[in-house]
Amino acid sequence: MCCSRLNVLLGAGAFSLAFAGTVQAGGFDRGGVNIDQLFDAAPYSFDAGVTYVSPQRKLKNVQRLDGSGLSTSAVDVGGDYAVPHVGIKANIFEPVDCLATYTRPYGADANFGMNNAYSPTAVKYAVDTDDFGLTCSYKVNVGKGAIRFIGGVSYQQVDAFLSRQTLLAFGNTGLGIFKLSDEAWGWRAGAAYEIPEIALRASLMYSSSYKYDGLSGTVDTTGFRGAFPADLIPGSTGVYPVSASAEIPQALEFKLQSGIAPGWLAFGSVRWQEWSKLGVIAINGVRSPVTGAPSPVSFDLLYRDGWTVTGGIGHKFTDQLSGVVSLTWDRGTSTTSGYQSDTWAVASGVSYSPNDQIEVRLGGSIGVLTSGSSTFSGVGDEANAVTYTYDNDLLLAGSASVKIKF
């Protein structure tokens, strides 16, 4: 047999090690909800780890298009982030396995700083999600292999933050702060075919959208008061309730792996997500700090659909040590505005198992955020009227995790 010495563990671990290469994806995607642990051969397993990502994006030739005349030669975006994951897998009875997971699958972080041409658009913004999921499979033996029918649900919480600075033309400056939060349910369904003898597995999974129709919170405009006389709005606190509606869109992912020679495994995946659903997200309830009248404010994403393609090779060096290397391409989701261009990343990692119960994995990734430009599209919030360019920038990531099987 081509793969009799290839521990099926490598097949499940390869994707986890390659995770550092796919965690920087389009839209708000940070890897989605990974359910590979569901395929563990052990009846029970516990898996926990974290991936740290550091995109080195810098905006250049930043110019405002709102008539203020503000321009800045370069603005560092910043935005390092960590993605934790925890999984507990159990064989409920012979054909049924279940996996409980926690992760932060979607998000965004950026810190543009104060007193530059981008500050009236955003000083900081962040989107954080917490996902609590349960996924189960029912296995039916078919010849040398087995088919799994897979289904699951997730409960997700989201928190969003945005701060903006007053235009420098007013002299004194201050911050306006937006905070919104909501919760939603989503589901997933799919199927997989496995032949463990040759480490073959093919899976197709659909993930539903998460509808955040009740995003609510506050906008605090008191920070703008340094630019305006305090008595322009008698009796106003400067803090107003706000609301919005958005979603994490549906996704479809195909994965394939197979042993190709003794101790060698090839794997790949293709993921599509409908980020074009996120265009102009209006924030309702904002009022002008000058007059108190309704003020149109929106988060202008104008995304297109995202595609992520990964391919790689895994090798079992000894009974204790395995390694993997992968290449990932992610199609940028930005269109007329934004800086999410195509990303190319190479990831590698090692898996060490001192015994049959413990597996330790370390991985790293280096990639390129490709160059491009952005110009305000003329739709949405006038505060977002800005143009800039960006060169090829570096992407760094690292991951560490441990799995215990029993």
Side-chain angles (χ1 to χ4, degrees), residues 104 108 126-130 157-161 179-182 212 215:
R104 310 192 79 180
V127 177
D128 295 305
T129 60
D130 291 283
Q157 299 172 325
V158 65
D159 292 287
F161 173 90
K179 295 180 180 179
L180 298 103
S181 61
D182 197 9
Y212 290 108
L215 279 164

Side-chain angles (χ1 to χ4, degrees), residues 4 20 36 72 103 158 169 230 271 278 282 289 310 322 337 340 352 355 397:
S4 58
D36 287 338
T72 304
T103 187
V158 65
R271 178 180 173 85
L278 299 186
T310 296
S322 300
S337 62
Q340 288 195 0
Y352 176 68
N355 53 52

